[in-house]
């Protein structure tokens, strides 16, 4: 039976009748460098500290004991640097001092570069080594851009389709000869390309085989703009939030060899005028919502080993939407194949406005943070209210293929080329 015949409707969770309220305190009102795109926890002596990756390319450190914040990298030292997507710390960061920064360039490259801290805690710009450079043919949005080390010690990189025309054929997300619209999995401890200064990594022996001519770094394909991804620190489950086109926003579970269907499907709906599926195992999103509920998903994190005052969030995968206020969450251990029960979380801020959520993060001590397009970083300091039990809501898919609910005719070009409020 074809996927279209088998899937007539998509079951998602309705919003609860009442919402939990999160109390937020502004702790970084105006980070040097503007919008915070990633928050990375530190361990060891500075367990309550974290690094902030800013869109400008700056990296800041917030001391967990004193709350003092200092810039440890003024800007990515690339003459063609345009904007940053995020960062991650090496698994042995406490020993090696290495961090990995994901950024875009003005000549349309998506770059992952490694930096090393000095004895004084600064990131040495002269230590920069390009790990990976991916050429795009189009403007610098839809680059994906998330970087995470998995529990296996390998680096996972999400890449976008570069805002390609959805009717292009072949579309990059289904072309296994390139690295676009995919999850890449590489070993940064080796170098399979010693003569290539722009690609310095090895290929894990157990990476899936996508067939003749396929790029060996591919781990999963068929994504549009997977801007944020995260691993559950307890189970290792990999959550990939993929920004949709006109109909649906997706949360996918990372599976080796998966094909998540873009541009043949959006959500679980066949896309009118879409391309043809390449190889790989066609894999439905774990959760998808229509554009009556939100329009641009911001992937989040799984909150584990958190503070007692935030115990209601324990074990939740938390995410936001760039164009919808509030946060949402579900049990990160929800079984596959069933729609997770979604809880909606409202905000009360002590000062300012929290809107257009860009990133969620935490520190090693369990404090939870949210950053906004408007520049601020807030800490979630408390919770009030009780979650309602959400009833599942079945939404019919549109046979014409664009999605789950009413359609928007404009293209959403969410990347970090912020030329308007819709271009994030």
């Amino acid at each position: 039976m074809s996927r279209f015949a088998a899937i007539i409707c998509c079951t998602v969770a309705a919003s609860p009748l009442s919402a939990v309220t999160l109390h937020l305190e502004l702790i970084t009102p105006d980070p040097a460098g503007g919008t915070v795109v990633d928050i990375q926890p530190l361990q060891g002596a500075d367990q309550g500290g974290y690094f902030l990756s800013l869109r400008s390319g700056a990296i800041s450190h917030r001391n967990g004991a004193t709350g003092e914040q200092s810039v440890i990298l003024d800007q990515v030292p690339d003459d063609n640097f345009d904007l940053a997507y995020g960062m991650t710390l090496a698994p042995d960061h406490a020993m090696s001092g290495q961090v990995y920064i994901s950024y875009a360039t003005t000549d349309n490259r998506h770059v992952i570069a490694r930096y090393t801290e000095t004895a004084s805690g600064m990131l040495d710009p002269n230590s920069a080594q390009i790990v990976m450079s991916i050429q795009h043919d189009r403007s610098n949005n839809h680059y994906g851009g998330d970087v995470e080390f998995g529990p296996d010690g390998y680096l996972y990189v999400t890449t976008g389709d570069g805002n390609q025309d959805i009717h292009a054929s072949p579309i990059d997300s289904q072309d296994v000869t390139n690295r676009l619209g995919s999850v890449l999995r590489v070993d940064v401890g080796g170098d399979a390309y010693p003569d290539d200064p722009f690609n310095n990594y090895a290929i894990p022996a157990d990476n899936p085989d996508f067939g003749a001519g396929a790029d060996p770094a591919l781990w999963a394909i068929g994504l549009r703009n997977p801007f944020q991804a995260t691993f559950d620190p307890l189970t290792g489950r990999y959550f990939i939030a993929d920004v949709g086109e006109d109909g649906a926003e997706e949360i996918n579970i990372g599976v080796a060899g998966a094909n998540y269907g873009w541009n043949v499907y959006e959500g679980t709906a066949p896309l009118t005028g879409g391309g043809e599926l390449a190889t790989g195992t066609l894999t439905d999103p774990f959760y998808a919502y229509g554009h009556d509920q939100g329009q641009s998903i911001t992937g989040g994190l799984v909150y584990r080993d958190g503070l007692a005052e935030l115990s209601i969030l324990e074990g939740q995968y938390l995410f936001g939407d760039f164009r919808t206020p509030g946060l949402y969450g579900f049990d990160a251990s929800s079984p596959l194949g069933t729609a997770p029960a979604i809880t909606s979380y409202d905000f009360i801020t002590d000062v300012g406005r929290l809107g257009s959520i860009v990133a969620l993060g935490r520190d090693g001590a369990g404090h939870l943070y949210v950053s906004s397009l408007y520049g601020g970083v807030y800490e979630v300091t408390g919770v009030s209210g009780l979650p309602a039990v959400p009833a599942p809501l079945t939404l019919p898919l549109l046979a014409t293929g664009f999605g789950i609910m009413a359609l928007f005719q404009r293209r959403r070009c969410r990347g970090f080329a912020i030329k308007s409020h819709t271009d994030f």
Side-chain angles (χ1 to χ4, degrees):
M1 181 179 293
S2 72
R3 185 181 188 186
F4 180 61
I7 303 172
I8 301 174
C9 62
C10 176
T11 301
V12 300
S15 298
L17 297 177
S18 61
V20 178
T21 297
L22 304 179
H23 298 261
L24 276 67
E25 178 181 339
L26 184 65
I27 59 170
T28 308
D30 186 20
T35 302
V36 172
V37 295
D38 206 350
I39 304 167
Q40 288 291 324
L42 298 173
Q43 303 294 338
D46 194 11
Q47 191 176 42
Y50 53 77
F51 283 164
L52 298 176
S53 175
L54 292 99
R55 176 175 169 263
S56 67
I59 304 293
S60 293
H61 167 234
R62 184 175 188 268
N63 186 291
T66 66
E68 294 179 358
Q69 186 167 309
S70 57
V71 176
I72 60 173
L73 182 69
D74 290 322
Q75 185 177 334
V76 170
D78 186 321
D79 291 341
N80 294 308
F81 173 82
D82 190 12
L83 43 92
Y85 289 112
M87 67 179 295
T88 193
L89 278 60
D92 66 346
H93 172 262
M95 295 287 293
S96 69
Q98 292 181 341
V99 303
Y100 293 75
I101 300 175
S102 172
Y103 64 91
T105 66
T106 55
D107 57 346
N108 297 335
R109 289 178 296 121
H110 175 194
V111 177
I112 312 298
R114 177 171 52 227
Y115 295 81
T116 302
E117 290 179 57
T118 66
S120 63
M122 302 292 288
L123 285 183
D124 180 5
N126 296 318
S127 69
Q129 180 184 24
I130 293 178
V131 174
M132 179 182 296
S133 178
I134 302 171
Q135 186 66 52
H136 283 255
D137 296 329
R138 292 164 296 280
S139 61
N140 63 350
N141 54 32
H142 288 213
Y143 277 17
D146 189 80
V147 283
E148 304 281 341
F149 279 96
D152 55 10
Y154 295 125
L155 184 68
Y156 290 72
V157 179
T158 65
T159 67
D161 68 358
N163 197 22
Q164 189 176 17
D165 187 324
I166 64 172
H167 302 302
S169 181
I171 196 162
D172 287 334
S173 296
Q174 295 294 328
D175 181 356
V176 297
T177 65
N178 67 41
R179 294 173 289 180
L180 306 184
S182 306
V183 177
L184 311 176
R185 178 177 181 253
V186 299
D187 178 1
V188 297
D191 187 0
Y193 310 96
D195 298 327
D196 185 350
F198 299 106
N199 290 286
N200 297 284
Y201 58 85
I203 304 299
D206 58 348
N207 266 15
D209 182 2
F210 282 94
D215 192 290
L218 294 176
W219 189 75
I221 65 173
L223 295 165
R224 180 176 180 268
N225 187 23
F227 168 59
Q228 298 278 19
T230 191
F231 284 94
D232 183 336
L234 178 64
T235 68
R237 180 179 277 186
Y238 185 40
F239 294 88
I240 308 163
D242 194 14
V243 179
E245 173 78 14
D246 288 317
E249 307 299 304
E250 297 181 6
I251 297 171
N252 296 286
I253 301 298
V255 178
N259 184 338
Y260 297 106
W262 178 257
N263 72 337
V264 186
Y265 295 90
E266 183 177 12
T268 55
L271 189 64
T272 298
E276 295 182 0
L277 285 173
T279 184
T281 302
L282 184 59
T283 305
D284 284 335
F286 180 58
Y287 175 72
Y289 62 87
H291 285 178
D292 65 322
Q293 298 175 326
Q295 298 176 23
S296 186
I297 190 169
T298 297
L301 56 76
V302 179
Y303 189 67
R304 301 278 189 192
D305 299 323
L307 303 178
E309 54 267 35
L310 302 182
S311 60
I312 198 170
L313 305 178
E314 184 69 23
Q316 293 269 303
Y317 173 75
L318 301 171
F319 64 99
D321 188 278
F322 187 70
R323 296 183 62 83
T324 304
L327 286 179
Y328 307 91
F330 57 78
D331 183 352
S333 299
S334 298
L336 298 178
T338 60
I342 306 297
T343 298
S344 173
Y345 300 99
D346 291 334
F347 291 146
I348 294 178
T349 59
D350 64 336
V351 64
R353 172 192 179 195
L354 178 61
S356 297
I357 295 171
V358 178
L360 289 86
R362 55 163 294 165
D363 60 28
H367 300 95
L368 178 64
Y369 305 98
V370 184
S371 72
S372 162
L373 174 65
Y374 305 108
V377 176
Y378 289 80
E379 179 183 349
V380 181
T381 57
V383 178
S384 60
L386 294 174
V389 178
L393 172 66
T394 300
L395 302 176
L397 294 180
L398 302 180
T400 53
F402 262 105
I404 293 176
M405 291 301 285
L407 307 182
F408 291 81
Q409 295 305 314
R410 58 182 174 79
R411 293 290 302 276
R412 289 179 311 115
C413 303
R414 177 177 172 185
F416 280 101
I418 303 179
K419 301 177 180 65
S420 74
H421 70 283
T422 62
D423 282 342
F424 192 54

